[in-house]
């Protein structure tokens, strides 16, 4: 089955700096890679996702890159703000008809210092 | 915060007792999932169901059971066979066809077994 590894486990940056979180996956059949943000005491929520037919996707200050050959993908947050502080999870899934068995990384606790 | 609900928010049980966690969604999603969240281990998949009356084991299904008699409901039973049941349990749902595969999470149930 799929195995997703995520690094680093904790990350502390100064407000305004960039933050990068990296994930690797094991199953070459995986074709969908979402990122979830979980604020303290709240449920995880999707912030960005990418499919395997795309190498990069951007949404304002957040971007995700995917390297299918190397089987790794990364989340990039630019101009970080204190409200970006949260735990971020990457995930990988093989999406085809009638299947969506997503596996998550262990999470990265991001702290943005004002 | 509507759409997918879990109850109760906190649950306390004595060792040796089975306990059932509720998960209900009104999003008309076909797929539902149960995850266990432990510090430093991210979200681990317990069971998932793509359709009514069908479900598959995830990575840590031992000591758990589920049912999917209705599309809206996917209850999880933590049995006395689960060796370390104290954890935070998250339920999620998603569509499995179309342009979006976002998983929508419930607020979670924190189970403490003593």
């Amino acid at each position: 089955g799929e195995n997703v590894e995520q690094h680093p486990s904790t990350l502390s940056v100064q407000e305004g700096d960039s933050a990068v979180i990296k994930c690797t996956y094991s199953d070459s059949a995986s074709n969908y890679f979402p990122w979830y943000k979980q604020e303290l005491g709240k449920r995880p929520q999707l912030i960005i996702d990418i499919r395997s037919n795309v190498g990069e996707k951007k949404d304002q200050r957040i971007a995700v890159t995917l390297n299918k050959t190397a089987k790794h993908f990364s989340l990039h947050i630019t101009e970080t703000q204190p409200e970006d502080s949260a735990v971020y999870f990457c995930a990988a899934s093989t999406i085809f008809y009638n299947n969506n068995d997503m596996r998550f990384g262990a999470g990265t606790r991001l702290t943005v210092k004002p | 915060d509507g759409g997918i609900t879990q109850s109760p928010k906190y649950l306390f049980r004595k060792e040796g007792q089975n306990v059932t966690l509720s998960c209900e969604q009104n999003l008309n999603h076909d797929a539902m999932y149960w995850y266990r969240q432990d510090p430093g281990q991210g979200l681990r998949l317990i069971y998932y169901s793509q359709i009514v009356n069908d479900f598959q084991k995830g990575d840590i299904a031992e000591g758990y059971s589920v049912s999917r008699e209705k599309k809206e409901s996917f209850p999880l039973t933590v049995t006395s066979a689960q060796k370390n049941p104290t954890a935070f349990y998250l339920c999620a749902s998603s569509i499995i066809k179309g342009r979006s595969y976002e998983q929508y999470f419930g607020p979670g149930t924190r189970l403490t077994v003593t």
Side-chain angles (χ1 to χ4, degrees), chain B residues 17-37:
Chain B
Q17 294 178 334
N18 291 357
V19 60
T20 297
L21 281 58
S22 166
C23 178
E24 303 279 330
Q25 54 99 2
N26 61 3
L27 300 168
N28 199 33
H29 285 170
D30 292 302
M32 296 187 75
Y33 313 82
W34 274 106
Y35 296 93
R36 172 180 170 139
Q37 186 173 25

Side-chain angles (χ1 to χ4, degrees), chain A residues 21-34:
Chain A
I21 302 170
K22 298 181 179 181
C23 289
T24 60
Y25 61 99
S26 61
D27 188 351
S28 56
S30 290
N31 57 6
Y32 175 66
F33 307 93

Side-chain angles (χ1 to χ4, degrees), chain A:
Chain A
E2 177 64 272
N3 181 44
V4 179
E5 294 194 357
Q6 183 172 347
H7 301 279
S9 57
T10 59
L11 180 59
S12 182
V13 299
Q14 208 64 38
E15 183 177 358
D17 288 349
S18 295
V20 180
I21 302 170
K22 298 181 179 181
C23 289
T24 60
Y25 61 99
S26 61
D27 188 351
S28 56
S30 290
N31 57 6
Y32 175 66
F33 307 93
W35 286 88
Y36 285 79
K37 176 183 180 182
Q38 186 178 27
E39 296 178 33
L40 189 62
K42 297 190 176 180
R43 68 190 80 188
Q45 291 192 302
L46 180 73
I47 54 171
I48 195 167
D49 56 12
I50 191 168
R51 297 216 207 170
S52 58
N53 59 348
V54 175
E56 185 173 358
K57 184 176 179 181
K58 195 171 181 180
D59 183 3
Q60 299 182 354
R61 296 186 297 108
I62 294 173
V64 58
T65 58
L66 171 66
N67 183 327
K68 283 174 57 180
T69 304
K71 288 192 277 189
H72 68 69
F73 57 112
S74 300
L75 177 72
H76 304 253
I77 307 175
T78 58
E79 300 171 27
T80 53
Q81 301 168 3
E83 51 264 38
D84 294 328
S85 296
V87 178
Y88 292 81
F89 294 99
C90 62
S93 179
T94 305
I95 303 290
F96 56 89
Y97 182 77
N98 212 33
N99 184 70
N100 182 356
D101 54 344
M102 197 169 294
R103 298 298 193 276
F104 286 82
T108 296
R109 183 174 298 279
L110 173 65
T111 303
V112 180
K113 299 177 184 175

Side-chain angles (χ1 to χ4, degrees), chain B residues 90-107:
Chain B
L90 281 164
C91 179
S93 70
S94 74
I95 59 170
I96 54 173
K97 289 178 280 189
R99 298 175 66 89
S100 172
Y101 303 103
E102 177 178 359
Q103 292 199 5
Y104 292 81
F105 285 85

Side-chain angles (χ1 to χ4, degrees), chain B residues 67-86:
Chain B
S67 63
R68 187 84 187 278
E69 297 177 2
K70 298 187 300 182
K71 189 176 185 178
E72 302 81 17
S73 178
F74 191 41
L76 173 74
T77 297
V78 184
T79 75
S80 56
Q82 168 50 232
K83 291 183 172 56
N84 186 18
T86 294

